[in-house]
Amino acid sequence: MKSNHLDWPFFDDRHRALATELDAWAAQHIDQHHATDVDAQCKVLVKQLGAAGWLRHAVGGTEHGGNVDVIDTRAICLIRETLARHSGLADFAFAMQGLGSGAISIAGTDEQKQSYLGRVARGEAISAFALSEPDAGSDVAAMSCAATIDGDHAVLNGQKTWISNGGIADFYVVFVRSGEAPGARGISAFIIDADTPGFEIAERIDVIAPHPLATLRFNDCRVPLTRRIGEGGEGFKIAMRTLDIFRTSVAAAALGFARRAFDEALQRAKTRKMFGGVLADFQLTQAKLAQMATTIDSAALLTYRAAWQRDQGRSVTREAAMAKLTATEGAQQVIDAAVQIFGGLGVVSEQPVERLYREIRSLRIYEGATEVQQLIIGRDLLKEVGR
């Protein structure tokens, strides 16, 4: 069903043109069939997105291959929403190019930007963002993977896990405990090329919506200090700034999944014959469709408010958390309702709504689980009262 959200005042004409052009491109170029080799398909998608110019929106700095000097959050969100509606794997491929290189766009040196960002934008290098650990997911400050300084090098030891693009990335932005201060103030970020001695893929991880995912291991992995992003101890701040950009876009991806499920459900309700009519004739179905549409619009308003606000240079800590919480939880409800409308066909493997049912689940967890978003919102509200 055609949505009118592009008419909202959050967007400029360039955003509307971007979404329309990408939708037409995706319909023509993205393979809708299930990939048997997910690694290979991700690599193909990165190349396609790079060759078509879409990845230029994922990096900052026109002199380094970016579309604009500062990453446009609304553009990122519109791209993710559109790609997710067509293919969850295409959305993943785009998002990880941005998240994986985001720290370099934000705080990298000119040399680091020159070395990496252009290749990311052209789809010639695959990036990854390595923050989580076995015992440090939502509580980032609890990380134990560490770096010690040895002359003009850092030596990394420890593990990272749940790392998207793990196993296929050409480089990883890795956040480690570097000891400049206790807790979050003693974390630094380093760029680790995939062929660096002492770095290995310890384990590949299979999940319900397949995509490249792995545990990383560092064993006396030596990296020049010229590969450190920002100063020592600035890693947590850089990670949070990166997530500030891309957390809102997770909400946009959830929107894309929800819109696709809603379109599928509408079509099914209008054509599924039942008791001498069609499923859409029943008030129960109409009420369910009404709730689905309202949930989608509510999430879209919060998502694009947060994206617009960030593009105005304002803080979006609370707004991004509200958007991610509402959009991901709402999309889960919309997709579940779509499966119900499809009946038995809704749980047949590789049917669109069955695939969406698997794809949405992880969005409620990664880049801050729903419960963490609730904590962020609550604390921010209480802080405001204190002021």
Side-chain angles (χ1 to χ4, degrees):
M1 187 182 78
K2 182 175 174 56
S3 171
N4 66 354
H5 72 291
L6 290 175
D7 296 332
W8 293 350
F10 295 124
F11 304 110
D12 300 329
D13 286 343
R14 60 192 168 88
H15 295 116
R16 299 179 181 101
L18 171 70
T20 302
E21 184 182 351
L22 176 57
D23 189 44
W25 179 88
Q28 183 177 353
H29 292 91
I30 292 180
D31 185 359
Q32 298 293 325
H33 295 95
H34 173 65
T36 54
D37 186 338
V38 174
D39 286 5
Q41 184 158 358
C42 275
K43 292 176 182 179
V44 167
L45 284 164
V46 169
K47 289 183 183 299
Q48 285 181 305
L49 291 164
W54 303 117
L55 292 179
R56 294 182 61 207
H57 295 275
V59 303
T62 53
E63 71 275 28
H64 301 299
N67 189 64
V68 290
D69 285 328
V70 178
I71 292 175
D72 183 329
T73 314
R74 285 168 292 175
I76 291 284
C77 287
L78 285 169
I79 290 171
R80 289 202 65 181
E81 179 187 336
T82 303
L83 289 175
R85 191 158 48 80
H86 287 273
S87 162
L89 207 56
D91 164 63
F92 168 84
F94 174 84
M96 285 313 305
Q97 287 296 90
L99 182 63
S101 64
I104 303 174
S105 291
I106 291 169
T109 64
D110 287 341
E111 181 182 356
Q112 290 167 352
K113 291 177 180 179
Q114 189 68 36
S115 296
Y116 293 97
L117 294 184
R119 293 190 292 140
V120 169
R122 293 189 297 271
E124 296 169 359
I126 295 176
S127 62
F129 181 84
L131 185 64
S132 296
E133 297 183 8
D135 296 315
S138 297
D139 184 7
V140 174
M143 71 172 59
S144 61
C145 186
T148 56
I149 305 302
D150 181 16
D152 58 358
H153 283 70
V155 182
L156 277 63
N157 283 283
Q159 286 192 342
K160 294 288 176 181
T161 196
W162 308 114
I163 307 307
S164 292
N165 276 348
I168 69 168
D170 297 289
F171 70 92
Y172 299 76
V173 171
V174 183
F175 297 85
V176 294
R177 180 157 302 288
S178 48
E180 289 81 4
R185 293 176 296 160
I187 293 170
S188 296
F190 290 90
I191 305 168
I192 309 295
D193 290 332
D195 59 359
T196 303
F199 167 73
E200 64 175 338
I201 302 300
E203 178 189 17
R204 294 299 299 271
I205 303 170
D206 294 324
V207 288
I208 58 175
H211 67 270
L213 195 68
T215 296
L216 318 180
R217 181 181 294 128
F218 303 91
N219 183 19
D220 291 335
C221 177
R222 293 178 63 86
V223 57
L225 288 179
T226 55
R227 297 293 177 86
R228 184 172 62 195
I229 304 172
E231 298 298 323
E234 291 185 347
F236 182 81
K237 180 172 64 177
I238 292 168
M240 294 305 104
R241 288 175 64 195
T242 304
L243 291 172
D244 251 1
I245 298 172
F246 291 97
R247 181 168 285 148
T248 305
S249 79
V250 178
L255 271 176
F257 290 151
R259 290 194 197 280
R260 175 66 183 272
F262 184 59
D263 288 346
E264 297 284 346
L266 270 178
Q267 187 62 29
R268 177 69 169 167
K270 288 163 60 178
T271 56
R272 183 183 179 187
K273 291 180 170 52
M274 184 171 285
F275 301 121
V278 294
L279 188 58
D281 293 334
F282 295 93
Q283 289 182 336
L284 282 172
T285 305
Q286 294 166 19
K288 193 179 291 288
L289 292 170
Q291 184 60 57
M292 294 163 77
T294 302
T295 298
I296 290 170
D297 267 15
S298 300
L301 284 163
L302 285 174
T303 299
Y304 288 110
R305 177 189 69 167
W308 173 84
Q309 195 164 313
R310 189 188 179 281
D311 286 342
Q312 308 312 304
R314 303 180 192 177
S315 171
V316 294
T317 299
R318 185 197 307 174
E319 290 79 6
M322 286 179 169
K324 183 182 185 295
L325 184 156
T326 302
T328 56
E329 292 293 328
Q332 181 81 64
Q333 295 164 17
V334 168
I335 293 166
D336 186 75
V339 170
Q340 200 72 9
I341 287 171
F342 266 75
L345 191 60
V347 292
V348 173
S349 181
E350 290 309 314
Q351 282 290 320
V353 293
E354 183 273 340
R355 190 166 60 245
L356 289 163
Y357 194 84
R358 289 184 284 109
E359 287 176 328
I360 188 56
R361 192 59 186 84
S362 64
L363 269 67
R364 295 169 58 203
I365 298 173
Y366 75 66
E367 290 193 42
T370 290
E371 292 75 14
V372 173
Q373 304 312 315
Q374 291 171 325
L375 288 174
I376 290 170
I377 295 163
R379 288 172 180 172
D380 196 62
L381 289 168
L382 292 170
K383 189 189 303 181
E384 187 173 276
V385 171
R387 288 195 296 268

